[in-house]
mmCIF file with all atom_site columns, all heavy atoms in Angstrom:
data_model
loop_
_atom_site.group_PDB
_atom_site.id
_atom_site.type_symbol
_atom_site.label_atom_id
_atom_site.label_alt_id
_atom_site.label_comp_id
_atom_site.label_asym_id
_atom_site.label_entity_id
_atom_site.label_seq_id
_atom_site.pdbx_PDB_ins_code
_atom_site.Cartn_x
_atom_site.Cartn_y
_atom_site.Cartn_z
_atom_site.occupancy
_atom_site.B_iso_or_equiv
_atom_site.pdbx_formal_charge
_atom_site.auth_seq_id
_atom_site.auth_comp_id
_atom_site.auth_asym_id
_atom_site.auth_atom_id
_atom_site.pdbx_PDB_model_num
ATOM 1  N N   . ARG A 1 3   ? -48.595 88.034 17.887 1.00 91.00 ? 3   ARG A N   1
ATOM 2  C CA  . ARG A 1 3   ? -47.996 87.440 19.083 1.00 91.00 ? 3   ARG A CA  1
ATOM 3  C C   . ARG A 1 3   ? -48.932 86.498 19.828 1.00 91.00 ? 3   ARG A C   1
ATOM 4  O O   . ARG A 1 3   ? -48.482 85.709 20.647 1.00 91.00 ? 3   ARG A O   1
ATOM 5  C CB  . ARG A 1 3   ? -47.509 88.530 20.023 1.00 91.00 ? 3   ARG A CB  1
ATOM 6  C CG  . ARG A 1 3   ? -46.401 89.359 19.412 1.00 91.00 ? 3   ARG A CG  1
ATOM 7  C CD  . ARG A 1 3   ? -45.762 90.260 20.445 1.00 91.00 ? 3   ARG A CD  1
ATOM 8  N NE  . ARG A 1 3   ? -44.834 91.184 19.839 1.00 91.00 ? 3   ARG A NE  1
ATOM 9  C CZ  . ARG A 1 3   ? -43.577 90.889 19.550 1.00 91.00 ? 3   ARG A CZ  1
ATOM 10 N NH1 . ARG A 1 3   ? -43.095 89.708 19.806 1.00 91.00 ? 3   ARG A NH1 1
ATOM 11 N NH2 . ARG A 1 3   ? -42.794 91.795 19.002 1.00 91.00 ? 3   ARG A NH2 1
ATOM 12 N N   . THR A 1 4   ? -50.224 86.611 19.549 1.00 97.00 ? 4   THR A N   1
ATOM 13 C CA  . THR A 1 4   ? -51.185 85.733 20.211 1.00 97.00 ? 4   THR A CA  1
ATOM 14 C C   . THR A 1 4   ? -52.157 85.173 19.179 1.00 97.00 ? 4   THR A C   1
ATOM 15 O O   . THR A 1 4   ? -52.352 85.767 18.111 1.00 97.00 ? 4   THR A O   1
ATOM 16 C CB  . THR A 1 4   ? -51.987 86.494 21.293 1.00 97.00 ? 4   THR A CB  1
ATOM 17 O OG1 . THR A 1 4   ? -52.797 87.486 20.651 1.00 97.00 ? 4   THR A OG1 1
ATOM 18 C CG2 . THR A 1 4   ? -51.073 87.140 22.332 1.00 97.00 ? 4   THR A CG2 1
ATOM 19 N N   . PRO A 1 5   ? -52.803 84.065 19.505 1.00 97.00 ? 5   PRO A N   1
ATOM 20 C CA  . PRO A 1 5   ? -53.834 83.542 18.604 1.00 97.00 ? 5   PRO A CA  1
ATOM 21 C C   . PRO A 1 5   ? -54.958 84.555 18.372 1.00 97.00 ? 5   PRO A C   1
ATOM 22 O O   . PRO A 1 5   ? -55.505 84.639 17.273 1.00 97.00 ? 5   PRO A O   1
ATOM 23 C CB  . PRO A 1 5   ? -54.347 82.302 19.337 1.00 97.00 ? 5   PRO A CB  1
ATOM 24 C CG  . PRO A 1 5   ? -53.203 81.868 20.190 1.00 97.00 ? 5   PRO A CG  1
ATOM 25 C CD  . PRO A 1 5   ? -52.523 83.142 20.616 1.00 97.00 ? 5   PRO A CD  1
ATOM 26 N N   . LEU A 1 6   ? -55.275 85.347 19.404 1.00 97.00 ? 6   LEU A N   1
ATOM 27 C CA  . LEU A 1 6   ? -56.327 86.359 19.274 1.00 97.00 ? 6   LEU A CA  1
ATOM 28 C C   . LEU A 1 6   ? -56.008 87.354 18.171 1.00 97.00 ? 6   LEU A C   1
ATOM 29 O O   . LEU A 1 6   ? -56.865 87.633 17.318 1.00 97.00 ? 6   LEU A O   1
ATOM 30 C CB  . LEU A 1 6   ? -56.519 87.096 20.605 1.00 97.00 ? 6   LEU A CB  1
ATOM 31 C CG  . LEU A 1 6   ? -57.406 88.347 20.558 1.00 97.00 ? 6   LEU A CG  1
ATOM 32 C CD1 . LEU A 1 6   ? -58.830 87.995 20.184 1.00 97.00 ? 6   LEU A CD1 1
ATOM 33 C CD2 . LEU A 1 6   ? -57.355 89.082 21.880 1.00 97.00 ? 6   LEU A CD2 1
ATOM 34 N N   . ASN A 1 63  ? -54.176 75.077 18.251 1.00 97.00 ? 63  ASN A N   1
ATOM 35 C CA  . ASN A 1 63  ? -53.391 75.674 19.334 1.00 97.00 ? 63  ASN A CA  1
ATOM 36 C C   . ASN A 1 63  ? -54.220 75.829 20.605 1.00 97.00 ? 63  ASN A C   1
ATOM 37 O O   . ASN A 1 63  ? -53.743 75.563 21.706 1.00 97.00 ? 63  ASN A O   1
ATOM 38 C CB  . ASN A 1 63  ? -52.845 77.037 18.918 1.00 97.00 ? 63  ASN A CB  1
ATOM 39 C CG  . ASN A 1 63  ? -51.949 77.638 19.977 1.00 97.00 ? 63  ASN A CG  1
ATOM 40 O OD1 . ASN A 1 63  ? -50.788 77.244 20.100 1.00 97.00 ? 63  ASN A OD1 1
ATOM 41 N ND2 . ASN A 1 63  ? -52.463 78.564 20.760 1.00 97.00 ? 63  ASN A ND2 1
ATOM 42 N N   . GLN A 1 64  ? -55.454 76.262 20.447 1.00 97.00 ? 64  GLN A N   1
ATOM 43 C CA  . GLN A 1 64  ? -56.302 76.529 21.601 1.00 97.00 ? 64  GLN A CA  1
ATOM 44 C C   . GLN A 1 64  ? -57.029 75.271 22.099 1.00 97.00 ? 64  GLN A C   1
ATOM 45 O O   . GLN A 1 64  ? -57.738 75.330 23.086 1.00 97.00 ? 64  GLN A O   1
ATOM 46 C CB  . GLN A 1 64  ? -57.328 77.608 21.267 1.00 97.00 ? 64  GLN A CB  1
ATOM 47 C CG  . GLN A 1 64  ? -56.724 78.936 20.824 1.00 97.00 ? 64  GLN A CG  1
ATOM 48 C CD  . GLN A 1 64  ? -55.855 79.556 21.888 1.00 97.00 ? 64  GLN A CD  1
ATOM 49 O OE1 . GLN A 1 64  ? -54.647 79.363 21.884 1.00 97.00 ? 64  GLN A OE1 1
ATOM 50 N NE2 . GLN A 1 64  ? -56.456 80.269 22.805 1.00 97.00 ? 64  GLN A NE2 1
ATOM 51 N N   . GLY A 1 95  ? -63.647 83.008 25.941 1.00 98.00 ? 95  GLY A N   1
ATOM 52 C CA  . GLY A 1 95  ? -62.303 82.666 26.379 1.00 98.00 ? 95  GLY A CA  1
ATOM 53 C C   . GLY A 1 95  ? -61.547 81.727 25.474 1.00 98.00 ? 95  GLY A C   1
ATOM 54 O O   . GLY A 1 95  ? -60.435 81.297 25.800 1.00 98.00 ? 95  GLY A O   1
ATOM 55 N N   . LEU A 1 97  ? -60.092 82.378 22.732 1.00 98.00 ? 97  LEU A N   1
ATOM 56 C CA  . LEU A 1 97  ? -58.943 83.014 22.088 1.00 98.00 ? 97  LEU A CA  1
ATOM 57 C C   . LEU A 1 97  ? -57.943 83.531 23.120 1.00 98.00 ? 97  LEU A C   1
ATOM 58 O O   . LEU A 1 97  ? -56.990 84.223 22.766 1.00 98.00 ? 97  LEU A O   1
ATOM 59 C CB  . LEU A 1 97  ? -59.411 84.159 21.179 1.00 98.00 ? 97  LEU A CB  1
ATOM 60 C CG  . LEU A 1 97  ? -60.223 83.722 19.961 1.00 98.00 ? 97  LEU A CG  1
ATOM 61 C CD1 . LEU A 1 97  ? -60.796 84.930 19.237 1.00 98.00 ? 97  LEU A CD1 1
ATOM 62 C CD2 . LEU A 1 97  ? -59.380 82.885 19.024 1.00 98.00 ? 97  LEU A CD2 1
ATOM 63 N N   . ARG A 1 98  ? -58.141 83.166 24.363 1.00 97.00 ? 98  ARG A N   1
ATOM 64 C CA  . ARG A 1 98  ? -57.267 83.620 25.448 1.00 97.00 ? 98  ARG A CA  1
ATOM 65 C C   . ARG A 1 98  ? -55.968 82.807 25.431 1.00 97.00 ? 98  ARG A C   1
ATOM 66 O O   . ARG A 1 98  ? -55.962 81.628 25.123 1.00 97.00 ? 98  ARG A O   1
ATOM 67 C CB  . ARG A 1 98  ? -57.987 83.410 26.790 1.00 97.00 ? 98  ARG A CB  1
ATOM 68 C CG  . ARG A 1 98  ? -57.245 83.994 27.970 1.00 97.00 ? 98  ARG A CG  1
ATOM 69 C CD  . ARG A 1 98  ? -58.009 83.821 29.264 1.00 97.00 ? 98  ARG A CD  1
ATOM 70 N NE  . ARG A 1 98  ? -59.364 84.363 29.163 1.00 97.00 ? 98  ARG A NE  1
ATOM 71 C CZ  . ARG A 1 98  ? -60.458 83.697 29.517 1.00 97.00 ? 98  ARG A CZ  1
ATOM 72 N NH1 . ARG A 1 98  ? -60.385 82.481 29.989 1.00 97.00 ? 98  ARG A NH1 1
ATOM 73 N NH2 . ARG A 1 98  ? -61.642 84.260 29.402 1.00 97.00 ? 98  ARG A NH2 1
ATOM 74 N N   . GLY A 1 99  ? -54.892 83.467 25.782 1.00 96.00 ? 99  GLY A N   1
ATOM 75 C CA  . GLY A 1 99  ? -53.620 82.774 25.943 1.00 96.00 ? 99  GLY A CA  1
ATOM 76 C C   . GLY A 1 99  ? -52.668 83.005 24.799 1.00 96.00 ? 99  GLY A C   1
ATOM 77 O O   . GLY A 1 99  ? -52.940 83.741 23.860 1.00 96.00 ? 99  GLY A O   1
ATOM 78 N N   . ASP A 1 100 ? -51.530 82.348 24.939 1.00 97.00 ? 100 ASP A N   1
ATOM 79 C CA  . ASP A 1 100 ? -50.449 82.506 23.972 1.00 97.00 ? 100 ASP A CA  1
ATOM 80 C C   . ASP A 1 100 ? -50.355 81.277 23.068 1.00 97.00 ? 100 ASP A C   1
ATOM 81 O O   . ASP A 1 100 ? -51.063 80.293 23.252 1.00 97.00 ? 100 ASP A O   1
ATOM 82 C CB  . ASP A 1 100 ? -49.119 82.691 24.716 1.00 97.00 ? 100 ASP A CB  1
ATOM 83 C CG  . ASP A 1 100 ? -49.084 83.994 25.494 1.00 97.00 ? 100 ASP A CG  1
ATOM 84 O OD1 . ASP A 1 100 ? -49.570 85.008 24.957 1.00 97.00 ? 100 ASP A OD1 1
ATOM 85 O OD2 . ASP A 1 100 ? -48.581 83.988 26.630 1.00 97.00 ? 100 ASP A OD2 1
ATOM 86 N N   . TRP A 1 101 ? -49.441 81.356 22.143 1.00 97.00 ? 101 TRP A N   1
ATOM 87 C CA  . TRP A 1 101 ? -49.131 80.202 21.310 1.00 97.00 ? 101 TRP A CA  1
ATOM 88 C C   . TRP A 1 101 ? -48.463 79.143 22.190 1.00 97.00 ? 101 TRP A C   1
ATOM 89 O O   . TRP A 1 101 ? -47.649 79.460 23.043 1.00 97.00 ? 101 TRP A O   1
ATOM 90 C CB  . TRP A 1 101 ? -48.198 80.601 20.163 1.00 97.00 ? 101 TRP A CB  1
ATOM 91 C CG  . TRP A 1 101 ? -48.838 81.556 19.208 1.00 97.00 ? 101 TRP A CG  1
ATOM 92 C CD1 . TRP A 1 101 ? -48.552 82.871 19.054 1.00 97.00 ? 101 TRP A CD1 1
ATOM 93 C CD2 . TRP A 1 101 ? -49.881 81.252 18.269 1.00 97.00 ? 101 TRP A CD2 1
ATOM 94 N NE1 . TRP A 1 101 ? -49.350 83.420 18.082 1.00 97.00 ? 101 TRP A NE1 1
ATOM 95 C CE2 . TRP A 1 101 ? -50.172 82.459 17.577 1.00 97.00 ? 101 TRP A CE2 1
ATOM 96 C CE3 . TRP A 1 101 ? -50.596 80.109 17.946 1.00 97.00 ? 101 TRP A CE3 1
ATOM 97 C CZ2 . TRP A 1 101 ? -51.145 82.522 16.579 1.00 97.00 ? 101 TRP A CZ2 1
ATOM 98 C CZ3 . TRP A 1 101 ? -51.566 80.181 16.956 1.00 97.00 ? 101 TRP A CZ3 1
ATOM 99 C CH2 . TRP A 1 101 ? -51.835 81.367 16.287 1.00 97.00 ? 101 TRP A CH2 1
#
Side-chain angles (χ1 to χ4, degrees):
R3 296 191 188 276
T4 66
L6 170 64
N63 184 78
Q64 301 299 95
L97 293 172
R98 187 178 306 130
D100 294 319
W101 295 109

